[in-house]
Amino acid sequence: MAAKPHPRGESWRRALSFELWLFTATIVLCTVPWLVASEWAWAWTPILVAYLLRHLYLLTHLALLIRRHHRLIPPFPRGLWGEIYRSIAQYQQRGRKGRKRQIRFTRRFREAANAVPDGLVILDKLHRVDWANPAAARLMNVHWPEDDGRPLFEILTHPDLKDFVETGESLRPMDFAPEHNRALMLSLRITPFGERKRQRLVVARDITKIYHLNMIRRDFVANASHELRTPLTVIAGFLEGLIDAAATPPNHRRPLTLMHNQAERMRLIIEDLLTLSRLEMHEHPEVQEPVDVPDELHLILQEAHALSNGRHELSTDIDENLLLLGSPPELRSAFSNLIFNAIKHTPDGTEIRIRWSAWNDRLELRVEDNGPGIEPEHLPRLTERFYRIDKARSRESGGTGLGLAIVKHIMNRHDARLLIASEIDRGSAFTCVFPRDRAIAREDPEHTAAPRAATEPRSETRVVAPQAPRSLRARG
């Protein structure tokens, strides 16, 4: 079956045929006077002028219509000029439809942006206000269009705001109380966009209720833990005395020992809760100093060897000249937590690898094992408080379920991240990633000349496994 000709192509063929016919007729009419009689030779001039004037008129008319932004509507002239008029009219129609869609989209965007309870501010390349929604006036004191073109730092003042906006850090929010309304607590997020990511989208969220709830929760946990610690210490002390007393009947010693172990476990949970409360008090450590991470790791490995008692194979790759700016007690707690967890929660014969090294843009402490691994559904929740993969096993190992939550808070306070990766039957890897600007090179290389023999205990030595520090608990 023959294909039906396209109407558009048929129209162009008819227009081209008309133009060829008109051109041929003009040539014939201009040639005939020369052939009939020489005295009629002048007759070709008006015919050619009429043909050229038609093209000039249609071209001038089209230029005027386009310049005046007039709509091209039928009837259109015949021939190729008519097709040109018709094509331009179709482009005009498509442009009008596109503009209407754009207007509708812009209207819907503005209505949606105005309805958002969060403050939205768009900054140009020079970090000046380019647009803001109504919520920004209440939350950030940015009124648009009154503040159009003003730098954001002149309106919303904070010592760290300029660096925060220029850096364009989108992963971590900035929480503060604005000067125009100290009763508010804002959470500010910055998203770079536009050409070369030089523009900024500032999103301000009112977290006043959440902030106060967290304050109440933190104070309650701290006060309750503090009040419980003293009676538990007294109970544990009396139980320990009764266990060691010669007058205690032998059949009473086992229940007294169980009571003492549970009291000690409750004390450890309270200590971890107090540690978390202290970490939440401030965003960054109050005192930061160069931390000798290699020395800290070697001391932790001594306890790790004793805790393992030869049941695990520990290997290390430690850069002895790489130090870190931070809080020594907090980093010691985080690192020992990860290493002790690898020992407590992996079966005998597991290889545990500890690596402390520097890369191009970061520093890494990586604790990796080839144990049974962790199911993928558990990975996002491992740093939640009291979350356990196997509750019975965690209790047997003495875990409180707060260890990784403490590690996560310590990493946040050091501008670092805790990355967790695991595959079933292939092992797990816990990595602390620090920014490169916290690296410090050791000034005395001779300090690393002799490796520490204590990190590799003798095979015949049997040491009772020491109890982990108070803030170090089981994974998950």
Side-chain angles (χ1 to χ4, degrees):
M1 186 174 178
K4 189 176 181 180
H6 195 277
R8 184 66 176 164
E10 185 66 23
S11 174
W12 272 94
R13 281 193 291 271
R14 287 199 301 267
L16 184 59
S17 299
F18 175 80
E19 288 294 336
L20 290 176
W21 175 85
L22 186 62
F23 178 74
T24 304
T26 302
I27 295 299
V28 170
L29 291 176
C30 291
T31 307
V32 167
W34 288 86
L35 300 175
V36 174
S38 58
E39 60 269 15
W40 292 96
W42 57 268
W44 68 271
T45 304
I47 298 173
L48 184 59
V49 170
Y51 178 78
L52 296 176
L53 285 176
R54 173 181 178 270
H55 289 286
L56 181 61
Y57 168 76
L58 294 174
L59 177 61
T60 305
H61 181 61
L62 178 62
L64 290 175
L65 291 177
I66 293 175
R67 183 176 181 180
R68 296 173 182 175
H69 301 285
H70 286 187
R71 293 179 60 182
L72 275 68
I73 56 176
F76 298 126
R78 296 186 62 186
L80 290 177
W81 280 108
E83 292 302 315
I84 294 174
Y85 273 64
R86 188 175 293 105
S87 299
I88 295 177
Q90 291 174 353
Y91 279 118
Q92 287 181 336
Q93 185 178 7
R94 285 197 291 268
R96 286 192 298 271
K97 290 182 179 179
R99 285 192 296 272
K100 288 180 180 179
R101 284 196 300 269
Q102 187 176 7
I103 292 172
R104 287 196 300 268
F105 174 78
T106 304
R107 186 183 296 115
R108 287 197 299 267
F109 168 77
R110 290 200 172 183
E111 291 174 355
N114 292 338
V116 171
D118 299 337
L120 304 177
V121 178
I122 294 179
L123 305 180
D124 61 12
K125 298 177 182 179
L126 300 178
H127 303 155
R128 298 174 301 189
V129 176
D130 198 20
W131 176 85
N133 69 340
R138 178 178 62 87
L139 297 178
M140 293 186 285
N141 200 29
V142 178
H143 301 266
W144 191 82
E146 291 84 354
D147 292 328
D148 187 19
R150 290 186 60 189
L152 180 65
F153 321 120
E154 295 181 1
I155 306 171
L156 189 65
T157 56
H158 190 274
D160 301 327
L161 181 60
K162 186 173 183 180
D163 293 337
F164 184 67
V165 173
E166 291 178 350
T167 304
E169 176 61 48
S170 58
L171 298 178
R172 186 174 301 172
M174 175 181 177
D175 301 339
F176 67 98
E179 288 190 358
H180 71 279
N181 189 353
R182 287 295 185 181
L184 281 176
M185 179 58 65
L186 294 183
S187 178
L188 223 63
R189 285 189 177 273
I190 304 293
T191 302
F193 74 101
E195 183 182 358
R196 297 183 181 179
K197 303 292 184 180
R198 295 176 62 185
Q199 292 179 267
R200 298 287 187 268
L201 172 62
V202 184
V203 182
R205 176 167 294 180
D206 183 2
I207 59 168
T208 306
K209 292 183 179 179
I210 299 175
Y211 177 77
H212 288 305
L213 286 175
N214 287 333
M215 289 284 292
I216 294 171
R217 175 187 56 80
R218 186 181 65 197
D219 293 342
F220 170 77
V221 170
N223 293 333
S225 302
H226 182 74
E227 293 298 327
L228 290 173
R229 181 169 57 176
T230 301
L232 276 175
T233 303
V234 174
I235 293 172
F238 277 113
L239 288 172
E240 187 175 357
L242 289 173
I243 294 171
D244 297 334
T248 303
N251 59 335
H252 289 179
R253 294 186 183 275
R254 183 175 184 276
L256 289 173
T257 302
L258 293 176
M259 293 167 62
H260 180 267
N261 291 340
Q262 293 303 315
E264 184 65 19
R265 182 169 176 270
M266 291 179 63
R267 187 185 66 81
L268 294 176
I269 293 176
I270 289 172
E271 293 292 341
D272 278 358
L273 289 173
L274 288 173
T275 300
L276 273 175
S277 298
R278 287 193 295 269
L279 293 175
E280 290 177 343
M281 288 294 293
H282 304 284
E283 185 177 355
H284 297 283
E286 296 180 359
V287 178
Q288 299 193 46
E289 58 187 70
V291 180
D292 196 332
V293 175
D295 269 357
E296 297 290 350
L297 290 177
H298 288 299
L299 292 174
I300 294 171
L301 284 170
Q302 293 182 30
E303 299 183 24
H305 280 290
L307 183 62
S308 173
N309 199 17
R311 293 178 288 108
H312 301 80
E313 180 183 351
L314 274 68
S315 61
T316 60
D317 180 10
I318 300 174
D319 187 344
E320 300 290 345
N321 296 320
L322 182 61
L323 279 61
L324 180 67
L325 179 65
S327 169
E330 294 182 10
L331 294 175
R332 185 184 311 117
S333 175
F335 296 164
S336 57
N337 190 4
L338 296 178
I339 296 173
F340 292 166
N341 279 350
I343 295 174
K344 292 178 180 180
H345 296 277
T346 55
D348 296 351
T350 301
E351 180 186 2
I352 300 173
R353 297 178 292 276
I354 297 98
R355 185 181 68 193
W356 168 245
S357 57
W359 297 84
N360 294 332
D361 58 344
R362 65 190 186 274
L363 314 176
E364 284 189 1
L365 174 77
R366 185 179 180 89
V367 180
E368 187 176 6
D369 62 68
N370 59 353
I374 305 171
E375 290 81 1
E377 61 269 18
H378 295 298
L379 295 180
R381 301 191 59 188
L382 285 180
T383 56
E384 294 181 8
R385 302 182 184 196
F386 300 109
Y387 184 80
R388 296 183 178 93
I389 299 175
D390 187 344
K391 296 183 179 180
R393 184 177 178 183
S394 295
R395 291 192 182 99
E396 291 175 1
S397 63
T400 64
L402 296 171
L404 288 180
I406 293 175
V407 174
K408 181 180 178 181
H409 275 78
I410 293 174
M411 292 300 103
N412 290 339
R413 288 162 59 86
H414 288 79
D415 303 320
R417 293 176 295 159
L418 174 62
L419 305 181
I420 304 175
S422 182
E423 293 185 27
I424 299 298
D425 298 329
R426 299 191 64 179
S428 306
F430 293 75
T431 308
C432 300
V433 181
F434 297 89
R436 183 72 184 190
D437 55 9
R438 285 185 172 268
I440 300 176
R442 189 186 299 276
E443 297 180 357
D444 184 13
E446 296 180 358
H447 182 80
T448 64
R452 293 153 184 78
T455 59
E456 296 292 341
R458 298 174 182 176
S459 58
E460 66 272 11
T461 304
R462 297 185 60 85
V463 183
V464 178
Q467 195 172 40
R470 294 175 179 176
S471 61
L472 312 175
R473 296 297 164 252
R475 177 186 301 168

